[in-house]
Amino acid sequence: LRVTPQPPQTIAKAAPRRKTTDRNIRRRFLATYRRAKRVEKKAKAEAMKADPIFAAIARREKLQKLWCDLNNKLELAEHKASKKYGVRPFMIERAAKAWDRRVGIAAQHRECDRAIEAEHRCAVRMAKTRPTTLAGVAAMLVYLKADVDAGAIDWHQIAFATIIATLKAWEQPAPR
């Protein structure tokens, strides 16, 4: 019996594994995060088309930001002017308006007043907007709670009444 030597069997080498580094983990996380944000943005856009409350909330947030920006600029201008002209009188409206004219910020004050009035009208309009989906009701309640927590209370009774009316209308059986 003669044994012929066999060549040693070779095991197929696997492709070299990439090193798991913090950089690779971060890249994968960010890619997943961006995909999730795109899906969330698409879902939100579809929900906004289906329910008018989402657009109403977005309008109010936009007006709130505008008012906050204008108010910050006005406060900065008042602060700068107070160094030269003294503190603005706020108890007597005529004196306050005269001070604004003398200092040169009357137009800025009127613009800020118009912005807060527009924001308030928008809040009341939003509060009267009936959600058409359960997601819209939930969004309105979440927005309402955040605003209550912030201390603003002028439009909330209207919003609560709207939500209650919407939910009651949904529980009514459909006519046969």
Side-chain angles (χ1 to χ4, degrees):
L1 211 21
R2 193 168 175 171
V3 177
T4 55
Q6 296 284 330
Q9 290 187 356
T10 57
I11 300 174
K13 289 185 179 179
R17 283 185 71 192
R18 278 195 286 178
K19 252 177 141 176
T20 303
T21 62
D22 288 342
R23 191 175 193 185
N24 290 338
I25 292 170
R26 187 174 190 283
R27 276 190 191 141
R28 280 187 259 154
F29 169 77
L30 290 175
T32 304
Y33 177 77
R34 283 191 292 269
R35 277 193 300 272
K37 283 305 243 182
R38 280 194 303 266
V39 169
E40 179 186 2
K41 189 175 182 180
K42 187 177 178 182
K44 190 174 182 181
E46 288 172 8
M48 286 180 79
K49 290 177 187 174
D51 198 331
I53 196 64
F54 290 105
I57 290 171
R59 273 193 306 272
R60 178 154 189 261
E61 287 177 345
K62 185 178 176 182
L63 285 173
Q64 273 185 316
K65 184 182 180 328
L66 173 69
W67 175 75
C68 285
D69 292 345
L70 289 172
N71 195 48
N72 289 341
K73 289 177 185 174
L74 178 63
E75 286 180 358
L76 183 62
E78 283 180 1
H79 177 71
K80 286 180 181 177
S82 69
K83 292 178 182 176
K84 184 175 180 182
Y85 296 98
V87 178
R88 180 180 189 261
F90 61 91
M91 294 297 284
I92 304 169
E93 190 173 334
R94 281 193 340 208
K97 287 184 178 184
W99 189 88
D100 291 343
R101 282 191 301 274
R102 186 174 68 236
V103 172
I105 61 170
Q108 215 172 349
H109 228 286
R110 283 192 303 272
E111 187 178 8
C112 194
D113 289 344
R114 282 193 297 268
I116 193 66
E117 289 168 6
E119 186 273 333
H120 179 71
R121 284 191 308 272
C122 184
V124 172
R125 203 172 321 124
M126 178 191 65
K128 291 179 179 179
T129 301
R130 282 189 139 186
T132 58
T133 63
L134 191 56
V137 171
M140 190 163 183
L141 286 171
V142 167
Y143 190 74
L144 186 59
K145 183 188 180 319
D147 216 47
V148 168
D149 289 347
I153 57 168
D154 54 347
W155 59 272
H156 301 108
Q157 295 301 325
I158 299 168
F160 278 127
T162 303
I163 291 170
I164 290 167
T166 300
L167 293 174
K168 280 185 179 178
W170 288 351
E171 74 180 17
Q172 300 292 329
R176 293 181 187 199

Coordinates of all heavy atoms in Angstrom, one line a residue, residues 75-89 99 101-105:
E75 N -36.3 95.3 23.1 CA -35.7 95.4 24.5 C -34.3 95.9 24.5 O -33.9 96.7 25.3 CB -35.9 94.1 25.2 CG -37.3 93.8 25.7 CD -37.4 92.4 26.4 OE1 -36.4 91.7 26.5 OE2 -38.5 92.1 26.8
L76 N -33.5 95.4 23.5 CA -32.1 95.8 23.4 C -32.1 97.4 23.1 O -31.3 98.1 23.6 CB -31.5 95.0 22.3 CG -30.0 95.3 22.0 CD1 -29.2 95.0 23.3 CD2 -29.4 94.5 20.9
A77 N -33.0 97.8 22.2 CA -33.0 99.2 21.8 C -33.4 100.1 23.0 O -32.8 101.1 23.3 CB -33.9 99.5 20.7
E78 N -34.4 99.6 23.8 CA -34.8 100.3 25.0 C -33.7 100.4 26.0 O -33.4 101.4 26.7 CB -36.0 99.6 25.7 CG -37.3 99.9 25.0 CD -38.5 99.2 25.6 OE1 -38.3 98.5 26.6 OE2 -39.6 99.4 25.1
H79 N -32.9 99.3 26.2 CA -31.8 99.2 27.1 C -30.7 100.2 26.7 O -30.2 101.0 27.6 CB -31.3 97.8 27.2 CG -30.1 97.7 28.1 ND1 -30.2 97.8 29.4 CD2 -28.8 97.5 27.8 CE1 -29.0 97.6 30.0 NE2 -28.1 97.5 29.0
K80 N -30.4 100.2 25.5 CA -29.4 101.2 25.0 C -29.9 102.6 25.2 O -29.1 103.5 25.6 CB -29.1 101.0 23.5 CG -28.2 99.7 23.3 CD -28.0 99.6 21.8 CE -27.1 98.3 21.5 NZ -26.9 98.1 20.1
A81 N -31.1 102.9 24.9 CA -31.7 104.2 25.0 C -31.8 104.7 26.5 O -31.6 105.8 26.8 CB -33.0 104.3 24.4
S82 N -32.0 103.7 27.4 CA -32.2 104.1 28.8 C -30.9 104.6 29.4 O -30.9 105.4 30.4 CB -32.7 102.8 29.6 OG -31.6 101.9 29.7
K83 N -29.8 104.3 28.8 CA -28.5 104.8 29.3 C -28.4 106.3 29.1 O -27.8 107.0 29.9 CB -27.3 104.1 28.7 CG -27.2 102.6 29.1 CD -26.1 101.9 28.3 CE -26.0 100.5 28.7 NZ -25.0 99.7 28.0
K84 N -29.0 106.7 28.0 CA -28.9 108.2 27.7 C -30.2 108.9 28.1 O -30.1 110.1 28.6 CB -28.8 108.3 26.1 CG -28.6 109.7 25.7 CD -28.3 109.8 24.2 CE -28.2 111.3 23.8 NZ -27.9 111.3 22.3
Y85 N -31.4 108.3 28.0 CA -32.6 109.0 28.3 C -33.3 108.6 29.6 O -34.4 109.1 29.9 CB -33.6 108.8 27.1 CG -33.1 109.4 25.8 CD1 -32.5 108.6 24.9 CD2 -33.3 110.7 25.6 CE1 -32.1 109.1 23.7 CE2 -32.8 111.3 24.4 CZ -32.2 110.4 23.4 OH -31.8 111.0 22.3
G86 N -32.7 107.6 30.3 CA -33.4 107.2 31.5 C -34.4 106.0 31.2 O -34.6 105.7 30.0
V87 N -34.9 105.4 32.2 CA -35.8 104.3 32.1 C -37.1 104.7 31.5 O -37.7 105.8 31.8 CB -36.0 103.6 33.5 CG1 -37.0 102.4 33.3 CG2 -34.7 103.2 34.1
R88 N -37.6 103.9 30.6 CA -38.9 104.1 29.9 C -40.0 104.1 30.9 O -40.2 103.1 31.6 CB -39.1 103.1 28.8 CG -40.4 103.2 28.0 CD -40.6 102.1 27.0 NE -41.7 102.4 26.1 CZ -42.9 101.8 26.2 NH1 -43.1 101.0 27.2 NH2 -43.8 102.1 25.4
P89 N -40.9 105.1 31.0 CA -42.0 105.1 31.9 C -43.1 104.1 31.3 O -43.5 104.2 30.2 CB -42.6 106.5 31.8 CG -42.1 107.1 30.6 CD -40.8 106.4 30.2
W99 N -41.8 109.0 25.2 CA -40.4 108.5 25.4 C -40.0 107.8 24.2 O -38.9 108.0 23.7 CB -40.4 107.7 26.7 CG -39.0 107.3 27.1 CD1 -38.2 108.0 27.9 CD2 -38.2 106.1 26.7 NE1 -37.0 107.3 28.1 CE2 -37.0 106.2 27.4 CE3 -38.5 105.0 25.9 CZ2 -36.0 105.2 27.2 CZ3 -37.6 104.0 25.8 CH2 -36.3 104.1 26.4
R101 N -41.0 108.1 21.1 CA -40.8 109.0 20.0 C -39.5 109.8 20.2 O -38.7 110.0 19.2 CB -42.0 110.0 19.9 CG -43.2 109.4 19.2 CD -44.2 110.5 18.9 NE -44.7 111.2 20.0 CZ -45.7 110.8 20.8 NH1 -46.3 109.7 20.6 NH2 -46.0 111.6 21.9
R102 N -39.3 110.2 21.4 CA -38.0 111.0 21.7 C -36.8 110.2 21.5 O -35.8 110.6 20.9 CB -38.1 111.5 23.2 CG -36.9 112.4 23.5 CD -37.0 113.0 24.9 NE -36.9 112.0 25.9 CZ -37.8 111.8 26.9 NH1 -38.9 112.4 27.0 NH2 -37.5 110.8 27.7
V103 N -36.9 108.9 21.8 CA -35.7 108.0 21.7 C -35.6 107.5 20.2 O -34.5 107.1 19.8 CB -35.9 106.8 22.7 CG1 -34.8 105.8 22.5 CG2 -35.8 107.3 24.1
G104 N -36.7 107.4 19.5 CA -36.6 107.0 18.1 C -37.0 105.5 17.9 O -36.6 104.9 16.9
I105 N -37.7 105.0 18.9 CA -38.1 103.5 18.7 C -39.6 103.4 18.7 O -40.1 102.3 18.8 CB -37.5 102.7 19.9 CG1 -38.0 103.1 21.2 CG2 -36.0 102.6 19.8 CD1 -37.7 102.2 22.4

